[in-house]
Amino acid sequence: MSTLIIKNAIKTTFILLVVVTATSCKDYLNIDGYFDDEFNIDSAFANRRNMEAYMWGAAAMFPDESNTVRFGYTPGPMATDEGFNGLTGGGSNNVYYGMDFATGNITPDFFGAGASGSNYNLDQWGRYYKIVRKCNTILQNLDMPADMTNLDRSHIEGYTRFIRAYAYYNIVMDYGPAILLGDEVVHTNEPLEYYDRPRATYDETMDYTVSELEKAAQLLPEEVGILNFGRPTQGAAYALIARLRLIHASPLFNGGAAAQSYFGNWVRKTDNVHYVSQVYHEERWAVAAAAAKRVMEMGRYKLYTVAADDRTPELPTGVNSDPNFYRTYPEGAGGIDAFRSYSDIFTGEAVSSINPEIIWGRNTAYLTDYISKGSFPPSLGGWGRFSVTQKVVDAYLMDDGRTKEEAAVDGYYSEVGFTTTPKNFSGYPLNSGVYNMYANREMRFYASIGFNEAVWQALSSTTLNNHTAKYYYQDADGRGGVNATSPNYPITGYVIKKFNHPYDAWTGTGARHMDKSYPIIRYAEILLNYAEALNKLSGSHTVELGGQQYTISRDAEEIQKAFNVIRYRAGLPGLSSTKMNDPQAIQSEIERERMIEFLWENRRYYDVRRWGIYEQSEREPIRGMNPDGATKETYYQRVIPGTSSFLTRFVNKRSVWVPIPRSEMRRLPSLDQNPGY
């Protein structure tokens, strides 16, 4: 959780309950240990300051949300079709747990290489319940500190409810149905039967988590100061509700073919109730739309943009699919720099604490220490291994909004030949001689993807800068190269460049990095959530949300407005009017847009599952350029790289969720394992 300003404030060594720890009831005697280096648990609630420290101690137990790849706490990009790396080792030798997940190595007995400190593994079940218990302890003792005012009490209750809800949020996202403890502080030293309880259903878990976020939102501040960036706000609570309500409405969890296929036989053994609803409820889409609309109506958030200047490329001519395209943003794509409007969010150029698009985020060194270094060319001191797939590259549109297939008809897109003139737009240098596949693409492509012969500026270094990465076989940054010893080369021919600032450098005189923040949830997601939810409606629904009623129906103008502003920010035309009467066509556009807009932001993993297309998506062979090609003629070929990690990808319905540890299953007879494990 993003509470960096207090990350060292609390150290916790307590044990939760049989869900978390040992096999004997005697092991529950030491529940809380020390909540601080100086104060024991008897002092925790002596005054407001101590109680608040205890609360932030619970928050500090959450993993850093940006830790999605190396030592990840969640499967993340490398468990999807958007990311890969060249490490072929598995089991205890692998630190990329998403890779273990995608190859079927994650089991109830193995969750990735067990690591301590900040190096998390996929077994977070017990950690989240420790957080829940700390929060319940606070809520039960809110009246104890004698020096607390009503305002203090409200402040602590709001944050505590959010922290507890966020623990359940993480459980429902990665594990599915939770054991709901409510406000109960589980006693110690009780008979084993006391700790045995079944999981709630998915609906019950979702509704409880959302209801707690609703309660927290009423007590959380609308904004926090710059120095408190990372603390949750009312908007953060509402935005997480919008995310959860969209997932709850989606095919995998809302009846229909996907829910039946994945969960039709999964029932709770204590009462034979289906864990996941097998009945479709269209009104869930209306609730999801209302939840997104509520965030939009707060008036606090908008997409981040940078005004056009003399370096901004002109919009492509001849676009007639969208009559508003050439109008000034936000009514069109004019007047802004599309490249910088997107890239600055992630590179550290935009100040995250005042960025109106970041509803909730956190400062983190992980993006620099791992993601940036993992993508940087080996010639510049990086690993060069955090790969993006050809499927992602093919998803990016041309700069005039056409797909590559549409543009190939008149030669605007080509996989033959190379560019003949260099370009420099928005401060981004593009060499001549670049493969034509990478020419004329939308600005988010250049902001996000490092491809063969792309320039890495590394401008903070005065001796190693403006480096052209070459990934040909035995070239400096390619397979078998002098600098790129295995596995330090991009096995697909592409790396994630999204989190690299032009000034970032790892080697050379003066090499430095820009500080970066991770966007836990952005306003762009709220807009696409709204468009998707509206598009799924066939009738009108009046729903209640947080005590307010919303009447929601499919409104083509509203869908276009929410969707198009994201396309305009990217310098692209919006949805054409001809598509608006085809909900499936709109859904396909939304799916493409989410893949591109949220690349490596830990959304794709959850999206393909909630849409019910996980198996279809993951069964498509992962492809890239040919790392064994030493020349342009041999390198630029679509291949399935010959590594065991590619060839042994595991596609199975069980991979919707992470398994519950087998040790917990043995201790709690009423606890059902996730299906397939």
Side-chain angles (χ1 to χ4, degrees), residues 200-328:
T201 65
Y202 187 83
D203 288 357
E204 290 166 346
T205 304
M206 187 67 75
D207 289 342
Y208 175 77
T209 304
V210 167
S211 69
E212 284 302 302
L213 286 170
E214 289 281 2
K215 292 175 184 176
Q218 303 310 310
L219 301 171
L220 289 172
E222 293 185 359
E223 62 181 357
V224 295
I226 293 175
L227 296 179
N228 288 330
F229 173 71
R231 289 189 178 185
T233 61
Q234 183 181 78
Y238 284 159
L240 288 181
I241 290 170
R243 176 183 285 174
L244 289 173
R245 285 307 188 192
L246 185 78
I247 293 171
H248 197 205
S250 296
L252 188 64
F253 307 112
N254 192 13
Q260 293 165 14
S261 174
Y262 280 76
F263 303 119
N265 296 321
W266 191 38
V267 296
R268 188 163 50 196
K269 61 187 172 188
T270 57
D271 57 10
N272 216 37
V273 170
H274 276 99
Y275 271 109
V276 176
S277 174
Q278 300 296 294
V279 179
Y280 178 65
H281 301 279
E282 181 177 286
E283 65 270 17
R284 288 188 185 176
W285 291 110
V287 173
K293 187 175 184 180
R294 176 171 61 179
V295 178
M296 295 161 66
E297 290 179 341
M298 291 179 73
R300 306 191 67 87
Y301 308 108
K302 63 179 180 179
L303 297 185
Y304 176 83
T305 57
V306 174
D309 58 22
D310 57 3
R311 301 183 302 170
T312 304
E314 297 291 330
L315 293 174
T317 60
V319 173
N320 53 28
S321 60
D322 177 5
N324 297 322
F325 176 57
Y326 296 104
R327 297 178 65 182
T328 301

Side-chain angles (χ1 to χ4, degrees), residues 3 225 238 412 446 477 482 506 546 623 670:
T3 53
Y238 284 159
Y412 198 60
Y446 301 110
D477 300 310
V482 174
W506 284 94
R623 292 186 171 88
S670 298

Side-chain angles (χ1 to χ4, degrees), residues 332-614:
I336 62 170
D337 189 304
F339 177 87
R340 292 194 58 200
S341 293
Y342 185 75
S343 68
D344 286 5
I345 300 169
F346 312 103
T347 64
E349 181 67 22
V351 179
S352 296
S353 58
I354 58 173
N355 186 337
E357 181 166 351
I358 297 180
I359 300 175
W360 191 31
R362 64 169 300 140
N363 294 317
T364 178
Y366 186 90
L367 294 178
T368 296
D369 295 344
Y370 291 115
I371 304 299
S372 176
K373 188 169 186 177
S375 303
F376 243 69
S379 294
L380 296 181
W383 303 332
R385 72 168 80 125
F386 286 179
S387 295
V388 174
T389 65
Q390 186 68 47
K391 183 176 183 178
V392 170
V393 171
D394 291 343
Y396 283 96
L397 299 173
M398 308 305 291
D399 60 8
D400 61 5
R402 290 184 294 173
T403 65
K404 68 181 185 64
E405 291 79 12
E406 292 168 336
V409 174
D410 61 12
Y412 198 60
Y413 173 85
S414 175
E415 296 186 14
V416 176
F418 305 89
T419 62
T420 57
T421 57
K423 294 182 179 180
N424 193 306
F425 50 85
S426 307
Y428 178 90
L430 187 64
N431 291 331
S432 62
V434 167
Y435 189 35
N436 275 332
M437 179 189 286
Y438 314 138
N440 307 320
R441 303 304 285 267
E442 61 159 290
M443 290 296 105
R444 288 178 298 184
F445 172 77
Y446 301 110
S448 303
I449 307 297
F451 48 86
N452 192 32
E453 300 210 28
V455 175
W456 294 73
Q457 292 167 274
L459 296 178
S460 66
S461 170
T462 58
T463 53
L464 288 174
N465 55 47
N466 289 313
H467 171 75
T468 298
K470 294 191 176 182
Y471 301 141
Y472 304 106
Y473 180 65
Q474 292 190 333
D475 218 318
D477 300 310
R479 180 171 177 265
V482 174
N483 298 313
T485 56
S486 183
N488 286 351
Y489 68 94
I491 195 168
T492 64
Y494 307 103
V495 293
I496 184 70
K497 201 179 184 184
K498 182 173 181 175
F499 301 101
N500 287 283
H501 191 278
Y503 275 82
D504 286 351
W506 284 94
T507 53
T509 303
R512 300 179 67 182
H513 316 96
M514 290 287 289
D515 292 335
K516 298 176 179 67
S517 299
Y518 185 76
I520 300 171
I521 189 163
R522 294 194 281 125
Y523 187 57
E525 181 181 340
I526 299 300
L527 293 172
L528 287 177
N529 288 2
Y530 185 56
E532 180 178 352
L534 286 181
N535 185 56
K536 290 292 187 177
L537 295 173
S538 62
S540 178
H541 299 268
T542 298
V543 297
E544 189 268 338
L545 190 70
Q548 182 176 348
Q549 284 195 335
Y550 295 82
T551 299
I552 305 289
S553 60
R554 189 181 189 277
D555 186 322
E557 184 176 342
E558 285 283 285
I559 294 171
Q560 278 186 301
K561 185 177 178 181
F563 184 92
N564 286 0
V565 72
I566 295 175
R567 283 276 179 90
Y568 292 154
R569 198 261 295 271
L572 297 170
L575 291 170
S576 65
S577 298
T578 57
K579 287 186 176 180
M580 294 313 301
N581 292 325
D582 185 348
Q584 186 51 55
I586 299 301
Q587 178 64 25
S588 296
E589 293 280 4
I590 289 170
E591 290 178 11
R592 176 195 292 269
E593 194 66 19
R594 289 182 70 96
M595 185 180 196
I596 293 168
E597 178 70 22
F598 305 127
L599 180 68
W600 276 56
E601 292 182 60
N602 202 31
R603 302 271 37 93
R604 178 73 177 171
Y605 171 85
Y606 300 107
D607 278 346
V608 296
R609 284 160 174 75
R610 70 177 178 86
W611 288 327
I613 63 170
Y614 152 71

